[in-house]
Amino acid sequence: MKRNGNISESGKMLILGIGILLILAIIVIVLVVRMKDDVRKRDAVVETLQQEIPEDGEGQAESGSETEDGREAARQENAADSETEDGSVQVGALEDEEDPQEQKAAETAGGIAVAITKGAENTVPKSADETGQQSMGIDVSKHQGNIDWAKVKASGVEFAMVRVGYRAKSTGQLYEDPTARYNLQEAQAAGIRLGAYFFSSAVTEEEAREEARFTTDLIAKYKITYPVAYNCEGFQDAGNRQYALSQTERTGLACAFLDEVAAAGYTPMFYASRNELAGNASWDTDILASRYKIWLAWYPSVMTEQADYSGSYAMWQYTCQGTVDGISGKTDINTAYFSYTKEAEAKDDTPAERVTVNPEVGINFTEVNETVTAKQETNLRTEPSTASDGTIVGKLTHGDTATRTGIGHNGWSRVVYQGQTLYAVTSYLTTDMEDTGQQAPPQGPVYTPVGDQVTAKQETNLRTEPSTASDDTIVGKLHNGEALTRIATGDNGWSQLEYNGQTVYAVSSYLMPAG
């Protein structure tokens, strides 16, 4: 290798190569040592959390809270309530007081046209197909009704977080969201990438794992590319079965759910508001952020480039009042600080059973079996709504009969006429074949008379018209704790109220029984 006392060029290259290999080996050793140290630190934190949440569910009483024995008794009672006779999961309805996820009542502006350009970096490891490119999406549940997903896709929405179900806030019964399968099916068909979430009110780790298994079983036949999230709210309400739980216990339940989700092969994500997350106010945020993606909810009055939150987060829900073509009402809008290079494959390649749009979403029907006729004449529709004349397929006249199979809480009846399931206004039907009462043809929304006292869940506007199209119709506000008499409920989602001697309107889902 030496020529005239000098090292040849090939020798120099060999020495240089050996040196580079030695340097790389040293770097790899250092990185491995650091990674092992980080894992040991993380496992120590997790072990501490697990020690604080024994498997039997007992915990330390917090200052000002119920005693340990009282909490445990309440927890056992609530856990017992969650059992059903046959263990089945029911499909929920829109007007369900047991649904812990309430439709948000604010009437602020918002929509997908807002441009958001950056967010705080989330340190949770990324999947192989994940990129740092920002993506825009929505989260939906039964509160958005029946959605036209082709229009949603055309509006620019890239992903949808679909609510799969919820656990009743006091009884503990599991419910499937009545729009879950249709939303998953149609969003996927429209080319929108899917994520999912479950709204929990678990009080034991086994319940949390049960919720996760229910979620992963339901979504297994769909292409779930985005994360599967744990959502839990309302635990500070005395009527919520989680009211007796400590912060550490609730965090343990979230971990139990999300670890089950991860074990099923999905990306776990934790949802909470900024005020709950900041400074470990309501959750052990440090633990959650170290293990899962964080989905932050914070609604600024003026849009900013990023949320007013110093912690890490991977997705930001920045409005609950977004407008999206294809959704008739308001919806939550999210920006994710990640996207994916390709759509995920379904865990179960067995095709999901195809479902059709459910015209009864949000209506509680009392099942009956009786023969009815029209008092005079009434339209028969494919949907229980007067919103479009395109749903009219025929008329029922006095003397002609149909079989009524259900009476809805919203003033509509389900009838079978000439072998077809249709809908007619209840007040225009009668079981008395001699009844020829006069009434005008259906015009506009149908209001069913009531006479109950209601208050706002939080706060809602009182309007001279059942529409949010103009602020000029606002004549007052109803705050939680203030009571008004509700005159009627409409099939258009609005209630008529008595207010200062006049009839006003408020969104029905923003109201609750007074007292």
Side-chain angles (χ1 to χ4, degrees):
M1 295 176 61
K2 289 187 178 182
R3 292 180 182 176
N4 298 325
N6 296 322
I7 301 175
S8 67
E9 289 299 322
S10 60
K12 290 180 181 179
M13 293 298 293
L14 178 61
I15 293 172
L16 179 61
I18 293 173
I20 292 173
L21 289 173
L22 287 173
I23 292 172
L24 290 174
I26 293 171
I27 291 174
V28 169
I29 292 171
V30 170
L31 288 174
V32 169
V33 171
R34 287 186 176 179
M35 288 175 65
K36 288 184 176 180
D37 185 56
D38 288 342
V39 170
R40 283 195 298 270
K41 289 180 180 178
R42 182 198 65 194
D43 291 344
V45 174
V46 173
E47 183 178 358
T48 300
L49 175 63
Q50 292 173 338
Q51 290 173 350
E52 292 175 347
I53 311 174
E55 291 184 359
D56 60 8
E58 293 183 359
Q60 299 298 315
E62 294 181 333
S63 175
S65 67
E66 298 180 25
T67 64
E68 179 178 325
D69 291 341
R71 285 205 316 272
E72 181 62 17
R75 189 158 52 246
Q76 290 175 353
E77 180 180 356
N78 283 327
D81 286 342
S82 69
E83 300 295 331
T84 59
E85 291 184 3
D86 60 1
S88 62
V89 176
Q90 301 178 30
V91 177
L94 182 59
E95 298 297 328
D96 180 6
E97 294 182 356
E98 279 294 305
D99 188 342
Q101 182 176 6
E102 298 178 349
Q103 190 171 9
K104 300 177 180 73
E107 287 189 353
T108 57
I112 62 171
V114 177
I116 303 173
T117 57
K118 85 180 162 177
E121 181 181 1
N122 192 277
T123 57
V124 176
K126 299 177 180 179
S127 67
D129 299 323
E130 183 178 333
T131 75
Q133 183 175 350
Q134 188 172 320
S135 53
M136 186 67 68
I138 59 177
D139 58 274
V140 297
S141 69
K142 64 188 183 184
H143 294 300
Q144 278 66 53
N146 290 313
I147 298 172
D148 186 332
W149 283 101
K151 289 183 178 180
V152 172
K153 173 64 175 178
S155 73
V157 170
E158 298 170 86
F159 70 89
M161 302 294 292
V162 175
R163 187 174 80 156
V164 170
Y166 61 94
R167 188 185 290 277
K169 62 185 178 183
S170 65
T171 67
Q173 172 67 38
L174 279 178
Y175 287 98
E176 177 184 322
D177 188 295
T179 60
R181 296 175 194 267
Y182 184 79
N183 284 338
L184 290 167
Q185 168 187 287
E186 295 302 307
Q188 179 176 298
I192 295 173
R193 293 185 174 177
L194 296 174
Y197 74 98
F198 183 90
F199 206 103
S200 173
S201 64
V203 294
T204 67
E205 290 191 8
E206 179 50 40
E207 281 192 349
R209 286 189 286 269
E210 178 189 30
E211 294 171 350
R213 289 191 295 269
F214 162 74
T215 300
T216 56
D217 285 348
L218 193 149
I219 65 178
K221 295 180 180 180
Y222 302 94
K223 299 178 179 181
I224 307 299
T225 307
Y226 276 72
V228 176
Y230 178 85
N231 189 3
C232 174
E233 302 171 41
F235 46 79
Q236 295 176 336
D237 299 334
N240 191 297
R241 64 201 303 263
Q242 292 185 325
Y243 182 69
L245 298 178
S246 70
Q247 172 180 323
T248 301
E249 288 170 328
R250 285 197 313 275
T251 301
L253 300 179
C255 291
F257 178 100
L258 293 170
D259 288 346
E260 191 82 15
V261 164
Y266 299 101
T267 300
M269 184 164 67
F270 178 77
Y271 171 96
S273 70
R274 179 195 66 173
N275 292 342
E276 291 178 353
L277 291 170
N280 297 299
S282 298
W283 300 90
D284 287 331
T285 307
D286 294 340
I287 294 294
L288 294 167
S290 71
R291 298 174 64 175
Y292 318 110
K293 288 184 182 295
I294 298 298
W295 182 5
L296 175 74
W298 178 63
Y299 310 147
S301 57
V302 177
M303 277 315 301
T304 58
E305 288 187 339
Q306 65 186 68
D308 182 16
Y309 176 66
S310 59
S312 65
Y313 58 99
M315 187 182 293
W316 177 18
Q317 183 188 87
Y318 61 87
T319 180
C320 64
Q321 294 291 296
T323 55
V324 179
D325 193 23
I327 299 178
S328 59
K330 303 296 186 181
T331 193
D332 300 334
I333 309 293
N334 304 273
T335 185
Y337 300 101
F338 57 93
S339 58
Y340 297 89
T341 57
K342 63 181 181 179
E343 185 176 48
E345 294 298 323
K347 304 298 182 187
D348 182 352
D349 59 7
T350 305
E353 180 181 354
R354 181 157 185 82
V355 297
T356 57
V357 65
N358 181 4
E360 298 182 9
V361 166
I363 306 173
N364 294 322
F365 278 94
T366 300
E367 300 300 317
V368 297
N369 184 8
E370 56 193 12
T371 299
V372 294
T373 188
K375 292 178 180 178
Q376 183 183 16
E377 180 181 89
T378 187
N379 289 325
L380 297 174
R381 297 173 177 265
T382 56
E383 297 180 6
S385 171
T386 58
S388 171
D389 288 342
T391 63
I392 301 173
V393 295
K395 290 184 183 291
L396 187 69
T397 58
H398 181 72
D400 195 7
T401 62
T403 301
R404 176 158 57 188
T405 60
I407 301 175
H409 79 288
N410 64 336
W412 287 85
S413 285
R414 182 204 310 125
V415 299
V416 176
Y417 180 73
Q418 297 181 348
Q420 188 175 5
T421 298
L422 301 169
Y423 302 89
V425 177
T426 298
S427 62
Y428 298 165
L429 300 174
T430 179
T431 58
D432 183 358
M433 297 301 137
E434 303 301 320
D435 184 354
T436 57
Q438 300 295 305
Q439 88 282 332
Q443 296 292 330
V446 176
Y447 286 91
T448 302
V450 294
D452 55 340
Q453 294 289 303
V454 294
T455 187
K457 291 178 178 178
Q458 299 176 30
E459 177 184 275
T460 188
N461 288 325
L462 301 174
R463 297 174 178 268
T464 57
E465 298 177 2
S467 170
T468 59
S470 171
D471 287 344
D472 293 339
T473 63
I474 299 173
V475 294
K477 287 185 181 292
L478 181 64
H479 301 86
N480 181 260
E482 300 173 348
L484 291 178
T485 298
R486 175 161 50 186
I487 305 169
T489 57
D491 68 333
N492 58 346
W494 289 81
S495 288
Q496 292 178 337
L497 309 173
E498 288 183 352
Y499 176 69
N500 291 339
Q502 63 177 320
T503 298
V504 297
Y505 298 85
V507 178
S508 296
S509 60
Y510 299 168
L511 303 174
M512 61 184 289

